[in-house]
Amino acid sequence: MQQKPAVLFVCLGNICRSPTAEAVFRQKVQESGLSVDIDSAGTHGYHIGSPPDKRSRAVAESRGYKFDGLKCRRVQEDDFKRFDYILAMDHSNLSNLKDMSEKKYHHKIKLFLDFADDPHTEVPDPYYGGKKGFELVLELIEMASDGLIAHLKTQ
Ligand code: 4NP
């Protein structure tokens, strides 16, 4: 790899899916020995400054992932310049990110599950559902994180 890549995970609220992706990917990157800049953000500002959702934390912390210090923030203009991979959790996030950015950055914006070998194309929004939704979020994120690490190792 030529230089340290920078990865931004994006969902709607930045309190459930993208902070979980940040926590899981951070840990897997550490185990892999790669060096990656990692952050997460939301396309909307409903919960700016809030810590990740307790339900997301409960499911992921029981599997050993850590959310310490994470706080919700909104996607900002310079993110499109700063990050090499801007990974959306669902099609709606993807389309919002493209609307928010200049065309020259669109090649960086992808679905996170493009890196998972799974029939799901989206990490479904768990916010208004039950525990099973949060468990599915974690499972998909673990799979895509492994795929993204495998991809980064080829760069
Ligand atoms: P996230 O989940 O996009 O995975 O963080 C949501 C968080 C908050 C809301 C919707 C989804 N909300 O409507 O407030």
Side-chain angles (χ1 to χ4, degrees):
M1 202 175 309
Q2 304 236 312
Q3 63 184 51
K4 189 174 177 177
V7 176
L8 180 69
F9 297 107
V10 179
C11 63
L12 178 68
N14 190 215
I15 57 165
C16 298
R17 293 165 291 174
S18 59
T20 302
E22 180 178 348
V24 169
F25 189 64
R26 213 175 262 292
Q27 182 151 323
K28 285 180 176 286
V29 161
Q30 203 172 4
E31 290 161 3
S32 77
L34 289 173
S35 180
V36 185
D37 273 333
I38 306 163
D39 199 0
S40 66
T43 55
H44 286 73
Y46 307 128
H47 301 275
I48 289 172
S50 299
D53 189 285
K54 285 199 174 76
R55 299 162 297 173
S56 296
R57 291 187 70 142
V59 168
E61 285 175 347
S62 75
R63 304 271 283 272
Y65 298 108
K66 297 196 170 50
F67 289 75
D68 303 334
L70 298 192
K71 263 196 199 141
C72 169
R73 75 165 179 93
R74 195 171 185 180
V75 173
Q76 56 195 43
E77 209 176 319
D78 82 331
D79 287 331
F80 295 101
K81 191 169 178 191
R82 183 177 146 210
F83 291 93
D84 306 300
Y85 295 84
I86 300 168
L87 301 178
M89 296 296 138
D90 63 32
H91 289 281
S92 162
N93 309 146
L94 184 89
S95 135
N96 286 334
L97 284 166
K98 287 195 171 162
D99 288 345
M100 291 163 80
S101 58
E102 292 176 58
K103 264 220 167 85
K104 66 180 176 186
Y105 297 124
H106 287 189
H107 66 283
K108 301 180 173 191
I109 304 171
K110 297 183 169 72
L111 286 169
F112 184 30
L113 292 193
D114 286 352
F115 293 96
D117 185 12
D118 190 82
H120 286 88
T121 60
E122 305 189 304
V123 181
D125 183 347
Y127 193 71
Y128 293 106
K131 191 173 175 200
K132 281 216 164 1
F134 287 87
E135 288 169 346
L136 175 63
V137 164
L138 182 62
E139 194 181 312
L140 293 170
I141 284 172
E142 285 180 316
M143 225 186 304
S145 295
D146 289 336
L148 179 56
I149 286 170
H151 164 80
L152 292 175
K153 284 183 172 169
T154 67
Q155 299 303 292

Coordinates of all heavy atoms in Angstrom, one line a residue, residues 87-137:
L87 N -18.0 5.1 2.8 CA -18.8 3.9 2.6 C -20.2 4.0 3.3 O -20.3 4.2 4.5 CB -18.0 2.7 3.2 CG -16.6 2.5 2.6 CD1 -15.9 1.4 3.2 CD2 -16.8 2.3 1.0
A88 N -21.2 4.0 2.4 CA -22.6 4.2 2.8 C -23.2 2.9 3.3 O -22.9 1.8 2.7 CB -23.4 4.7 1.7
M89 N -24.0 2.9 4.3 CA -24.7 1.7 4.9 C -25.9 1.3 4.0 O -26.2 0.1 3.9 CB -25.2 2.0 6.3 CG -24.0 2.2 7.3 SD -22.9 0.8 7.4 CE -21.4 1.7 7.4
D90 N -26.5 2.3 3.3 CA -27.7 1.9 2.5 C -27.7 2.8 1.2 O -27.0 3.7 1.1 CB -29.0 1.8 3.3 CG -29.4 3.2 3.8 OD1 -29.1 4.2 3.2 OD2 -30.1 3.2 4.9
H91 N -28.7 2.4 0.3 CA -28.8 3.1 -0.9 C -29.2 4.6 -0.7 O -28.8 5.5 -1.5 CB -29.8 2.4 -1.8 CG -29.3 1.1 -2.4 ND1 -28.4 1.0 -3.4 CD2 -29.5 -0.1 -2.0 CE1 -28.2 -0.3 -3.7 NE2 -28.8 -1.0 -2.8
S92 N -30.0 4.8 0.3 CA -30.4 6.2 0.6 C -29.2 7.1 1.0 O -29.0 8.2 0.6 CB -31.5 6.2 1.6 OG -31.7 7.4 2.2
N93 N -28.4 6.5 1.9 CA -27.2 7.2 2.3 C -26.3 7.5 1.1 O -25.7 8.6 1.0 CB -26.3 6.4 3.3 CG -27.1 5.9 4.5 OD1 -26.7 4.8 5.0 ND2 -28.1 6.6 5.0
L94 N -26.2 6.5 0.2 CA -25.3 6.6 -0.9 C -25.8 7.8 -1.8 O -25.0 8.6 -2.3 CB -25.3 5.3 -1.7 CG -24.4 5.2 -2.9 CD1 -23.1 4.7 -2.6 CD2 -25.0 4.3 -4.0
S95 N -27.1 7.8 -2.0 CA -27.6 8.8 -2.9 C -27.5 10.2 -2.2 O -27.2 11.2 -2.9 CB -29.0 8.4 -3.3 OG -29.9 9.4 -3.2
N96 N -27.7 10.3 -0.9 CA -27.5 11.6 -0.2 C -26.1 12.1 -0.3 O -25.8 13.3 -0.5 CB -27.9 11.5 1.3 CG -29.4 11.4 1.5 OD1 -30.2 11.9 0.6 ND2 -29.9 10.7 2.5
L97 N -25.1 11.1 -0.1 CA -23.7 11.5 -0.2 C -23.4 12.1 -1.6 O -22.6 13.0 -1.7 CB -22.8 10.3 0.1 CG -22.8 9.9 1.6 CD1 -22.2 8.5 1.7 CD2 -21.9 10.9 2.4
K98 N -23.9 11.5 -2.6 CA -23.7 11.9 -4.0 C -24.3 13.3 -4.2 O -23.7 14.2 -4.8 CB -24.1 10.9 -5.0 CG -23.2 9.7 -5.0 CD -23.4 8.8 -6.2 CE -22.3 7.8 -6.2 NZ -22.5 6.6 -7.0
D99 N -25.5 13.5 -3.6 CA -26.1 14.8 -3.8 C -25.3 15.9 -3.0 O -25.3 17.1 -3.4 CB -27.5 14.8 -3.2 CG -28.5 14.0 -4.0 OD1 -28.2 13.8 -5.2 OD2 -29.6 13.7 -3.5
M100 N -24.6 15.5 -2.0 CA -23.9 16.5 -1.1 C -22.5 16.9 -1.7 O -21.9 17.8 -1.1 CB -23.7 15.9 0.3 CG -24.9 15.7 1.1 SD -24.5 14.6 2.5 CE -23.7 15.7 3.6
S101 N -22.0 16.1 -2.7 CA -20.6 16.2 -3.0 C -20.4 16.5 -4.5 O -21.3 16.3 -5.3 CB -19.9 14.9 -2.7 OG -20.5 13.8 -3.4
E102 N -19.2 17.0 -4.8 CA -18.9 17.3 -6.2 C -18.6 16.0 -7.0 O -18.2 15.0 -6.4 CB -17.6 18.1 -6.3 CG -17.8 19.5 -5.8 CD -16.5 20.3 -5.8 OE1 -15.9 20.4 -6.9 OE2 -16.0 20.7 -4.7
K103 N -18.9 16.0 -8.3 CA -18.8 14.7 -9.1 C -17.4 14.1 -9.0 O -17.3 12.9 -9.0 CB -19.1 15.1 -10.6 CG -20.5 14.8 -11.0 CD -20.5 14.2 -12.4 CE -21.9 13.6 -12.7 NZ -22.8 14.6 -13.2
K104 N -16.4 15.0 -8.9 CA -15.0 14.5 -8.8 C -14.7 13.6 -7.7 O -13.7 12.9 -7.6 CB -14.0 15.6 -8.9 CG -14.0 16.5 -7.6 CD -13.0 17.6 -7.8 CE -13.0 18.5 -6.6 NZ -12.2 19.7 -6.6
Y105 N -15.6 13.6 -6.6 CA -15.4 12.7 -5.5 C -16.3 11.5 -5.5 O -16.2 10.6 -4.7 CB -15.8 13.5 -4.2 CG -14.8 14.6 -3.9 CD1 -15.3 15.9 -3.7 CD2 -13.4 14.4 -3.9 CE1 -14.4 17.0 -3.5 CE2 -12.6 15.5 -3.7 CZ -13.1 16.8 -3.5 OH -12.2 17.8 -3.3
H106 N -17.2 11.3 -6.5 CA -18.2 10.2 -6.5 C -17.5 8.9 -6.6 O -18.1 7.9 -6.1 CB -19.2 10.4 -7.6 CG -20.2 11.5 -7.3 ND1 -21.3 11.8 -8.1 CD2 -20.2 12.5 -6.3 CE1 -21.9 12.8 -7.5 NE2 -21.3 13.3 -6.5
H107 N -16.3 8.8 -7.2 CA -15.7 7.4 -7.3 C -15.3 6.9 -5.9 O -15.1 5.7 -5.7 CB -14.5 7.5 -8.2 CG -13.4 8.4 -7.6 ND1 -13.4 9.7 -7.6 CD2 -12.2 8.0 -6.9 CE1 -12.3 10.2 -7.0 NE2 -11.6 9.2 -6.6
K108 N -15.2 7.8 -4.9 CA -14.9 7.3 -3.5 C -16.1 6.8 -2.8 O -16.0 6.2 -1.7 CB -14.3 8.5 -2.7 CG -13.1 9.2 -3.3 CD -12.8 10.4 -2.3 CE -11.5 11.0 -2.7 NZ -11.0 11.9 -1.7
I109 N -17.3 7.1 -3.2 CA -18.5 6.8 -2.5 C -19.1 5.5 -3.0 O -19.4 5.3 -4.1 CB -19.6 7.9 -2.7 CG1 -19.0 9.3 -2.3 CG2 -20.8 7.6 -1.9 CD1 -19.9 10.5 -2.7
K110 N -19.1 4.5 -2.0 CA -19.6 3.2 -2.3 C -20.5 2.6 -1.2 O -20.5 3.2 -0.1 CB -18.4 2.2 -2.4 CG -17.4 2.6 -3.5 CD -16.2 1.5 -3.5 CE -15.4 1.6 -4.7 NZ -14.5 2.8 -4.7
L111 N -21.2 1.5 -1.5 CA -21.9 0.8 -0.5 C -20.9 0.0 0.3 O -20.0 -0.7 -0.3 CB -22.9 -0.1 -1.1 CG -24.2 0.5 -1.6 CD1 -25.0 -0.5 -2.4 CD2 -25.1 1.1 -0.5
F112 N -21.0 0.0 1.6 CA -20.0 -0.8 2.5 C -20.2 -2.2 2.1 O -19.2 -3.0 2.1 CB -20.4 -0.5 3.9 CG -19.4 -1.2 4.9 CD1 -18.1 -1.4 4.6 CD2 -19.9 -1.5 6.2 CE1 -17.3 -2.0 5.6 CE2 -19.1 -2.1 7.1 CZ -17.7 -2.3 6.8
L113 N -21.4 -2.7 1.9 CA -21.6 -4.2 1.6 C -21.0 -4.6 0.2 O -21.1 -5.8 -0.1 CB -23.0 -4.6 1.8 CG -23.5 -4.5 3.3 CD1 -24.8 -5.3 3.5 CD2 -22.5 -5.1 4.3
D114 N -20.5 -3.6 -0.6 CA -19.8 -4.0 -1.8 C -18.6 -4.9 -1.4 O -18.1 -5.7 -2.3 CB -19.3 -2.8 -2.6 CG -20.4 -2.1 -3.3 OD1 -21.5 -2.6 -3.3 OD2 -20.1 -0.9 -3.8
F115 N -18.2 -4.8 -0.2 CA -17.0 -5.5 0.3 C -17.3 -6.8 1.0 O -16.5 -7.5 1.4 CB -16.1 -4.6 1.2 CG -15.5 -3.5 0.4 CD1 -16.1 -2.2 0.5 CD2 -14.4 -3.6 -0.3 CE1 -15.6 -1.2 -0.2 CE2 -13.8 -2.6 -1.0 CZ -14.4 -1.3 -1.0
A116 N -18.6 -7.1 1.0 CA -19.1 -8.4 1.7 C -19.6 -9.3 0.6 O -20.3 -8.9 -0.3 CB -20.2 -8.1 2.7
D117 N -19.3 -10.6 0.8 CA -19.8 -11.6 -0.1 C -21.1 -12.1 0.5 O -21.1 -13.1 1.2 CB -18.7 -12.7 -0.2 CG -19.1 -13.8 -1.3 OD1 -20.1 -13.5 -2.1 OD2 -18.5 -14.8 -1.3
D118 N -22.2 -11.4 0.2 CA -23.5 -11.7 0.9 C -24.6 -11.1 0.0 O -24.4 -10.1 -0.7 CB -23.5 -11.0 2.2 CG -24.7 -11.4 3.1 OD1 -24.6 -12.5 3.7 OD2 -25.7 -10.8 3.1
P119 N -25.8 -11.8 0.0 CA -26.9 -11.3 -0.8 C -27.4 -9.9 -0.4 O -28.0 -9.2 -1.2 CB -28.0 -12.3 -0.6 CG -27.4 -13.5 0.0 CD -26.1 -13.1 0.6
H120 N -27.2 -9.5 0.9 CA -27.6 -8.2 1.3 C -26.8 -7.1 0.6 O -25.5 -7.3 0.5 CB -27.3 -8.0 2.8 CG -28.3 -8.7 3.7 ND1 -28.1 -10.0 4.2 CD2 -29.5 -8.3 4.3 CE1 -29.1 -10.3 5.0 NE2 -30.0 -9.3 5.0
T121 N -27.4 -6.1 0.1 CA -26.6 -5.0 -0.4 C -26.6 -3.8 0.5 O -25.8 -2.9 0.3 CB -27.3 -4.5 -1.8 OG1 -28.6 -4.0 -1.5 CG2 -27.3 -5.6 -2.8
E122 N -27.4 -3.8 1.5 CA -27.5 -2.7 2.5 C -27.4 -3.2 3.9 O -27.8 -4.4 4.2 CB -28.9 -2.0 2.4 CG -29.3 -1.5 1.1 CD -30.5 -0.7 1.2 OE1 -31.6 -1.2 1.7 OE2 -30.5 0.5 0.8
V123 N -26.9 -2.4 4.8 CA -27.0 -2.7 6.3 C -28.3 -2.0 6.7 O -28.4 -0.7 6.7 CB -25.8 -2.0 7.0 CG1 -25.9 -2.4 8.5 CG2 -24.5 -2.5 6.5
P124 N -29.3 -2.8 7.0 CA -30.7 -2.1 7.2 C -30.7 -1.3 8.5 O -30.1 -1.6 9.5 CB -31.6 -3.4 7.4 CG -30.8 -4.6 7.0 CD -29.4 -4.2 7.1
D125 N -31.5 -0.2 8.4 CA -31.6 0.7 9.5 C -32.3 0.0 10.7 O -33.4 -0.4 10.5 CB -32.5 1.9 9.0 CG -32.6 3.0 10.1 OD1 -32.3 2.7 11.3 OD2 -33.1 4.1 9.8
P126 N -31.6 -0.1 11.8 CA -32.2 -0.9 12.9 C -33.0 -0.1 13.9 O -33.6 -0.6 14.9 CB -30.9 -1.4 13.6 CG -30.0 -0.3 13.5 CD -30.3 0.3 12.2
Y127 N -33.0 1.3 13.7 CA -33.4 2.2 14.8 C -34.8 1.9 15.3 O -35.0 2.0 16.6 CB -33.4 3.6 14.2 CG -33.5 4.7 15.3 CD1 -32.4 4.9 16.1 CD2 -34.6 5.5 15.4 CE1 -32.5 5.9 17.1 CE2 -34.7 6.5 16.4 CZ -33.6 6.7 17.2 OH -33.7 7.7 18.2
Y128 N -35.8 1.6 14.5 CA -37.2 1.4 15.0 C -37.5 0.0 15.2 O -38.7 -0.4 15.4 CB -38.2 2.1 14.1 CG -38.0 3.6 14.1 CD1 -37.4 4.3 13.0 CD2 -38.4 4.3 15.2 CE1 -37.3 5.7 13.1 CE2 -38.2 5.7 15.3 CZ -37.7 6.4 14.2 OH -37.5 7.7 14.2
G129 N -36.5 -0.9 15.1 CA -36.8 -2.4 15.3 C -36.3 -2.9 16.6 O -35.9 -2.2 17.5
G130 N -36.3 -4.3 16.6 CA -35.8 -5.0 17.9 C -34.4 -5.4 17.8 O -33.7 -5.1 16.9
K131 N -34.1 -6.3 18.8 CA -32.7 -6.7 19.0 C -32.1 -7.4 17.7 O -31.0 -7.3 17.4 CB -32.6 -7.6 20.2 CG -31.2 -7.9 20.6 CD -31.1 -8.6 22.0 CE -29.6 -9.0 22.2 NZ -29.5 -10.0 23.2
K132 N -33.0 -8.2 17.1 CA -32.5 -9.0 15.9 C -32.0 -8.1 14.8 O -31.0 -8.5 14.2 CB -33.7 -9.8 15.3 CG -34.1 -11.0 16.1 CD -34.5 -12.2 15.1 CE -34.5 -13.5 15.7 NZ -34.1 -13.8 17.0
G133 N -32.5 -6.9 14.7 CA -32.0 -6.0 13.7 C -30.6 -5.5 14.0 O -29.8 -5.4 13.1
F134 N -30.4 -5.3 15.3 CA -29.0 -4.8 15.7 C -28.0 -6.0 15.6 O -26.9 -5.7 15.2 CB -29.1 -4.3 17.2 CG -29.8 -3.0 17.3 CD1 -31.1 -2.9 17.4 CD2 -29.0 -1.8 17.2 CE1 -31.8 -1.7 17.5 CE2 -29.7 -0.6 17.2 CZ -31.0 -0.5 17.4
E135 N -28.5 -7.2 15.8 CA -27.6 -8.4 15.6 C -27.2 -8.5 14.1 O -26.1 -8.8 13.8 CB -28.2 -9.6 16.2 CG -28.3 -9.6 17.7 CD -29.1 -10.7 18.3 OE1 -29.9 -11.3 17.6 OE2 -29.0 -10.9 19.5
L136 N -28.2 -8.3 13.2 CA -28.0 -8.4 11.8 C -27.0 -7.3 11.4 O -26.0 -7.6 10.6 CB -29.3 -8.3 11.0 CG -29.1 -8.3 9.5 CD1 -28.5 -9.6 8.9 CD2 -30.5 -8.0 8.8
V137 N -27.2 -6.1 11.9 CA -26.2 -5.0 11.6 C -24.8 -5.4 11.9 O -23.9 -5.3 11.1 CB -26.6 -3.7 12.4 CG1 -25.5 -2.7 12.4 CG2 -27.9 -3.1 11.8

